[in-house]
Amino acid sequence: MYSVKKLADERSLVLRLIDGDENAFCELYAAYKDRLLYFAMRFLKSKEYAEDVFQDTFAIIWQGRRFIDPDVSFSAYVHTIVRNRILNQLRTLEQHERLREHILSQAVDYSNDTKQEILFNDLRQLISRGLQLLTPRQREIFQMSREMQLSHKEIAEQLGLSVYTVQESISTSLKTLRDYLRKNTVTGVDAVLLLICLNAL
């Protein structure tokens, strides 16, 4: 339970966030990260999916910062966004699983290894093409995050950027790749599988 002082301190950070203060954004980002990741993982059962939801949430917060009401609980505001993102993710996963099983069930002869190999090969090819849609800097940041497993802070330090710039770049890259996958695959493969396949490229 937040104390009156903590609530006042958080309201001060929110006011600075509304004015476009990146330091305030990073403080709120750090303050909420662990609890929101835990909250998301309870439903999604995956650290990668939970991190996607968390990153998307704070991208939404930054982009809509001017519309935040500082007199409304920031915690409730953040949790509402996260809850909606989780519900969207679960719906997409459920739809993908039903469609995937339907398509695979039509095959005359396939083994688990065969179907996994086919799915991953298709995804790898799609992802490789999708990565070409990113700017060179977006691609560099994205690959440092997904392939080299560097934290946002480590990437920011190596490239001389702010943590927010790194976070926003990754969020934008994920959206671009999700859109590309949805437009180019007949199996309805959701972009959450992108996180698994990128490590196999």
Side-chain angles (χ1 to χ4, degrees):
M1 192 76 171
Y2 268 15
S3 67
V4 173
K5 182 179 185 304
K6 284 184 177 179
L7 286 172
D9 290 344
E10 182 169 275
R11 186 176 186 279
S12 175
L13 286 174
V14 171
L15 287 170
R16 287 166 53 196
L17 167 65
I18 293 171
D19 287 336
D21 187 326
E22 285 192 14
N23 289 329
F25 171 84
C26 289
E27 286 188 49
L28 289 166
Y29 181 99
Y32 276 89
K33 183 173 183 179
D34 288 343
R35 76 185 87 166
L36 292 180
L37 284 176
Y38 174 75
F39 179 72
M41 284 179 65
R42 286 171 56 195
F43 298 95
L44 298 173
K45 312 301 182 185
S46 164
K47 183 179 179 181
E48 288 80 8
Y49 298 173
E51 285 178 344
D52 266 359
V53 165
F54 174 72
Q55 290 172 12
D56 286 349
T57 295
F58 267 81
I60 291 169
I61 288 171
W62 177 260
Q63 291 160 7
R65 63 191 181 280
R66 294 181 182 85
F67 303 102
I68 295 174
D69 185 346
D71 296 320
V72 173
S73 166
F74 184 74
S75 177
Y77 173 65
V78 171
H79 277 83
T80 297
I81 297 175
V82 169
R83 185 170 60 250
N84 290 337
R85 301 300 295 177
I86 289 172
L87 290 173
N88 289 340
Q89 190 77 287
L90 288 172
R91 278 194 292 268
T92 305
L93 285 169
E94 183 181 1
Q95 291 166 2
H96 162 63
E97 184 60 24
R98 286 201 305 266
L99 186 55
R100 186 178 70 90
E101 289 303 319
H102 172 72
I103 291 170
L104 290 176
S105 69
Q106 306 306 307
V108 175
D109 183 22
Y110 68 91
S111 65
N112 285 336
D113 289 342
T114 300
K115 66 182 180 182
Q116 287 297 330
E117 183 178 355
I118 292 171
L119 287 172
F120 275 82
N121 284 339
D122 288 347
L123 276 173
R124 276 196 292 266
Q125 292 176 14
L126 283 169
I127 291 165
S128 293
R129 291 196 292 270
L131 286 172
Q132 300 309 308
L133 298 176
L134 307 180
T135 65
R137 177 47 63 91
Q138 285 175 336
R139 192 157 54 245
E140 180 182 22
I141 291 173
F142 196 80
Q143 290 174 331
M144 289 175 76
S145 171
R146 300 307 178 188
E147 295 180 16
M148 299 171 65
Q149 298 292 303
L150 298 180
S151 69
H152 291 178
K153 183 178 179 182
E154 289 171 332
I155 296 171
E157 289 174 351
Q158 287 193 27
L159 300 180
L161 303 171
S162 69
V163 172
Y164 165 70
T165 298
V166 171
Q167 186 270 337
E168 185 176 46
S169 176
I170 291 173
S171 180
T172 300
S173 297
L174 281 171
K175 184 179 185 304
T176 299
L177 290 166
R178 284 192 187 101
D179 290 344
Y180 178 79
L181 288 178
R182 288 185 182 118
K183 290 176 182 176
N184 290 275
T185 174
V186 296
T187 61
V189 175
D190 185 75
V192 291
L193 290 176
L194 164 71
L195 301 175
I196 300 171
C197 295
L198 275 175
N199 290 330
L201 286 175

